[in-house]
Amino acid sequence: MISRIYVMPKNESKRVNSYLIDSKLSKKDLTTLAEALTNPILEKYFINKSPNMVDFSYAIEIGYLPGVTDNVGQTVKEMATDLFHLKKDSNFSVYTSKIFFTESRKLEDVQKEALALYNPLIERAYITRVKSGKINLPNKVPE
């Protein structure tokens, strides 16, 4: 099962960290992992639920291309392995990305903004419209 954890500052932000978890963790374990990824004084988390981003038109997700080492993802995997006493070779993967929000109304403008946010040699950009304040990102392992 694939789950997504969003972590963002408590005050207004144009940026969210996303952790795509490919594992059979229970809802309780996902909550424990989200709490470990979050500084409760400064940040809040959402599990499989989009944060409410009503002031924005588009979301730009920047993540690593397949085959590129995701160091933060590896660290989160090690942290979860320790937290839940998983076997080192367990079927557990974490893919991280950063999500940026823009108020631009035209897709062409958003595509230009995205070009400045990532390195196409090692990263990918996925642009989606924010509808009714919700991010519409697929819960799909990067391929």
Side-chain angles (χ1 to χ4, degrees):
M1 182 176 101
I2 297 177
S3 302
R4 189 182 291 265
I5 298 172
Y6 297 99
V7 176
M8 65 183 292
K10 284 185 177 179
N11 59 359
E12 293 300 313
S13 177
K14 290 186 172 188
R15 186 174 162 295
V16 173
N17 291 323
S18 171
Y19 303 88
L20 200 61
I21 313 294
D22 186 6
S23 173
K24 295 178 182 173
L25 291 179
S26 68
K27 194 169 191 171
K28 179 183 174 195
D29 288 345
L30 282 171
T31 301
T32 300
L33 183 58
E35 288 170 351
L37 293 169
T38 306
N39 177 340
I41 296 170
L42 302 173
E43 299 172 315
K44 55 188 172 183
Y45 65 85
F46 301 86
I47 301 171
N48 293 327
K49 182 180 106 175
S50 170
N52 194 12
M53 306 303 287
V54 291
D55 296 333
F56 301 100
S57 303
Y58 285 94
I60 305 166
E61 180 184 35
I62 307 296
Y64 289 106
L65 289 171
V68 176
T69 301
D70 183 345
N71 290 318
V72 174
Q74 285 295 106
T75 302
V76 173
K77 179 180 177 177
E78 288 176 23
M79 186 172 65
T81 301
D82 291 344
L83 263 174
F84 307 122
H85 308 290
L86 302 173
K87 294 179 181 171
K88 294 283 184 194
D89 60 347
S90 64
N91 193 13
F92 184 92
S93 300
V94 180
Y95 306 91
T96 62
S97 61
K98 295 177 194 75
I99 303 168
F100 298 90
F101 297 95
T102 181
E103 298 162 1
S104 299
R105 298 283 180 209
K106 293 183 180 178
L107 180 59
E108 299 81 30
D109 294 340
V110 176
Q111 289 169 332
K112 287 178 188 174
E113 285 180 53
L115 288 173
L117 295 174
Y118 78 109
N119 177 348
L121 296 175
I122 60 169
E123 295 172 310
R124 60 175 171 73
Y126 181 83
I127 299 171
T128 186
R129 197 161 224 340
V130 176
K131 296 178 184 170
S132 302
K134 303 294 180 203
I135 310 167
N136 203 10
L137 293 171
N139 277 359
K140 185 179 163 194
V141 173
E143 295 175 357

